Amino acid sequence: MRNARKLWLNGTAVILSALFLFPVYWMFSTSFKSSTDVLTDDPVFLFTPTFDHYETATAVELFWTYVGNSFIVTIGAVLLALLVALAASYAIARMQFRGRRGMVLAVMMAQMAPWEILIIVVYLNARDLEMLNSLLTLTLIYFVMALPFSIWTLRGFIAAVPKELEESAMIDGCNRAQAFFRVIFPLLAPGLMATSLFGFIAAWNEYAMVLVLNKDPEAATLPLWLTQFQTNFGNDWGATMAASTMFTVPVLIVFVLLQRRVTGGLAAGAVKG
């Protein structure tokens, strides 16, 4: 009975995994097909690989500018979010002050609100402040978008660290800041990695804000690059799939690297007790 249940669960997991992974496989395989194989009515699974679509995708004017801009705004937003979220989450988790509950409620509401409803307001403010077509503007917007989740996540990790560890360090002569960086901060690796991963994916994939605010190609990011593969005969699906594959690779690399560190940090924390 137990073996049958295990077999059923494993089979279900395999089927669901295949359903979720098939679109990724199809995107990846299509990027290596010839234009004839891409446009045929019948699905083609066996084909001779070609890199023509990748050459088309990388030949777009200002391609490397798009790449650099994406990394600048993404990494900048993630670092800012971690820096501010560390201070805010520590205050919420460890300190009692007037307005603390209101602050927690505001963080939760900001996390649940769809940012798309603010596009017009953000555009008008950026226009009035002459901050359109600016990487700094995008970085600040992505930082604000990632901040509520970062605060909420790090708050949980800080609250899980026993206060006695921090108090022991302060008894031994550390002030509050020293106790935080010597005791609490090393135990926050899983939380830092989780928030970094979320912030990176959210900023890397964001399309609506950059479409509205940064119409200058010099200030555009990779999501806008994905929209440029149109010809007089329609969409160049091969180049689109090649560009989508290239766009996905950095996210997968970051996910794999940080996921390992998150898992290792959780295991190490459990062992250390």
Side-chain angles (χ1 to χ4, degrees):
M1 186 68 179
R2 180 177 299 178
N3 291 335
R5 174 184 173 86
K6 185 176 181 180
L7 181 62
W8 182 84
L9 291 175
N10 290 337
T12 303
V14 170
I15 294 174
L16 291 176
S17 298
L19 289 175
F20 283 109
L21 291 176
F22 182 78
V24 179
Y25 156 76
W26 197 251
M27 175 187 71
F28 180 76
S29 64
T30 302
S31 69
F32 290 101
K33 295 177 181 178
S34 65
S35 298
T36 303
D37 291 335
V38 171
L39 298 176
T40 184
D41 292 334
D42 299 322
V44 177
F45 293 93
L46 298 177
F47 55 90
T48 302
T50 176
F51 289 92
D52 292 344
H53 300 309
Y54 286 90
E55 294 178 2
T56 301
T58 55
V60 171
E61 186 179 3
L62 299 177
F63 166 69
W64 291 109
T65 299
Y66 296 146
V67 174
N69 291 346
S70 286
F71 276 106
I72 289 173
V73 299
T74 299
I75 295 175
V78 170
L79 292 178
L80 280 175
L82 289 179
L83 182 64
V84 176
L86 269 176
S89 58
Y90 180 82
I92 293 175
R94 285 287 193 261
M95 300 179 181
Q96 298 294 331
F97 54 90
R98 181 176 298 178
R100 178 176 175 274
R101 292 186 177 180
M103 182 178 178
V104 174
L105 180 61
V107 169
M108 294 180 62
M109 292 179 62
Q111 183 177 340
M112 292 185 293
W115 289 99
E116 288 77 8
I117 63 177
L118 299 177
I119 288 181
I120 296 178
V121 176
V122 171
Y123 172 81
L124 293 176
N125 282 295
R127 182 198 62 185
D128 294 342
L129 295 173
E130 298 183 353
M131 294 182 66
L132 295 175
N133 299 310
S134 169
L135 295 183
L136 176 60
T137 302
L138 275 186
T139 302
L140 293 176
I141 291 173
Y142 294 165
F143 149 66
V144 174
M145 291 171 64
L147 187 59
F149 176 85
S150 300
I151 293 175
W152 190 254
T153 302
L154 290 178
R155 169 194 170 277
F157 279 92
I158 292 176
V161 177
K163 291 183 179 180
E164 290 76 12
L165 295 177
E166 189 177 1
E167 293 171 351
S168 298
M170 296 176 68
I171 292 175
D172 291 338
C174 293
N175 55 36
R176 184 177 290 273
Q178 291 173 332
F180 173 80
F181 284 106
R182 293 183 181 182
V183 177
I184 298 180
F185 186 78
L187 300 176
L188 295 181
L192 293 173
M193 296 304 172
T195 53
S196 298
L197 180 61
F198 169 83
F200 186 92
I201 294 176
W204 186 263
N205 293 336
E206 206 284 323
Y207 173 75
M209 289 292 182
V210 65
L211 175 66
V212 173
L213 300 178
N214 287 25
K215 294 186 176 297
D216 184 356
E218 294 283 350
T221 56
L222 285 174
L224 291 187
W225 167 64
L226 294 175
T227 66
Q228 298 189 20
F229 304 105
Q230 295 182 346
T231 66
N232 294 331
F233 304 99
N235 291 327
D236 186 347
W237 292 112
T240 300
M241 293 299 102
S244 299
T245 300
M246 296 170 63
F247 181 75
T248 305
V249 167
V251 177
L252 293 178
I253 293 175
V254 171
F255 177 81
V256 170
L257 293 177
L258 295 189
Q259 182 68 16
R260 290 178 179 177
R261 292 182 178 272
V262 168
T263 305
L266 288 172
V271 172
K272 292 178 181 178

